[in-house]
């Protein structure tokens, strides 16, 4: 199963505490009943935080399902609440454990 490509946040991007930001990802999703877990991973830590669990219907738009279709794009509005110097976003398809993706390392500042 192809993975998930995290489109934003991008590597070296700087987000600001309190400013809404759209996390976006794309992939080929087979059923349309997927549930995505959106997680934060501070660099150098083995502890992650869950931002949200969101369904395909709530998050995604696109041309269709399956490998022959174009990739589907998904998004979630998130407002960072505290500064973090090095952070990554991970997206995990809870209906298909092989389908994951991660962002580049970015920063959240005040």
């Amino acid at each position: 199963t192809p993975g998930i490509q995290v489109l934003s946040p991008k590597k070296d991007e700087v987000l600001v505490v309190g400013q809404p930001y759209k996390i976006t990802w794309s992939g080929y999703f087979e059923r349309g009943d997927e549930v995505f877990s959106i997680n934060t991973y501070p660099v150098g830590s083995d502890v992650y935080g869950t931002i949200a669990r969101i369904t395909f219907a709530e998050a995604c738009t696109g041309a269709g399902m399956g490998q022959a279709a174009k990739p589907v794009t998904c998004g979630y509005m998130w407002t960072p609440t505290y500064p973090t110097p090095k952070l990554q976003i991970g997206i995990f398809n809870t209906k298909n454990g092989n389908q994951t993706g991660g962002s580049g390392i970015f920063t959240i500042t005040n």
Side-chain angles (χ1 to χ4, degrees), residues 3 10 23 37-38 70 88 94 102:
K10 295 186 184 309
I23 298 168
S37 180
I38 306 169
K70 293 182 180 176
Q88 290 180 282
T94 64

Side-chain angles (χ1 to χ4, degrees), residues 38-42 47-51 78 82 87-90 106:
I38 306 169
N39 305 305
T40 58
Y41 293 90
V47 177
Y48 73 91
T50 299
I51 293 173
W78 171 54
Y82 55 89
L87 192 64
Q88 290 180 282
I89 295 289
F106 64 97

Side-chain angles (χ1 to χ4, degrees), residues 36-98:
F36 302 101
S37 180
I38 306 169
N39 305 305
T40 58
Y41 293 90
V43 174
S45 173
D46 59 358
V47 177
Y48 73 91
T50 299
I51 293 173
R53 287 176 59 88
I54 188 166
T55 67
F56 180 92
E58 295 169 312
C60 304
T61 60
M65 307 298 202
Q67 301 305 315
K70 293 182 180 176
V72 174
T73 300
C74 308
Y76 178 78
M77 289 302 293
W78 171 54
T79 303
T81 57
Y82 55 89
T84 307
K86 293 182 179 179
L87 192 64
Q88 290 180 282
I89 295 289
I91 309 288
F92 176 71
N93 179 350
T94 64
K95 295 282 186 171
N96 181 344
N98 294 327

Side-chain angles (χ1 to χ4, degrees), residues 12-46:
D12 297 328
E13 193 164 359
V14 178
L15 308 185
V16 178
V17 169
Q19 297 288 322
Y21 184 83
K22 190 168 189 177
I23 298 168
T24 58
W25 64 96
S26 70
Y28 297 93
F29 306 117
E30 295 295 330
R31 299 182 304 261
D33 67 347
E34 286 81 3
V35 176
F36 302 101
S37 180
I38 306 169
N39 305 305
T40 58
Y41 293 90
V43 174
S45 173
D46 59 358

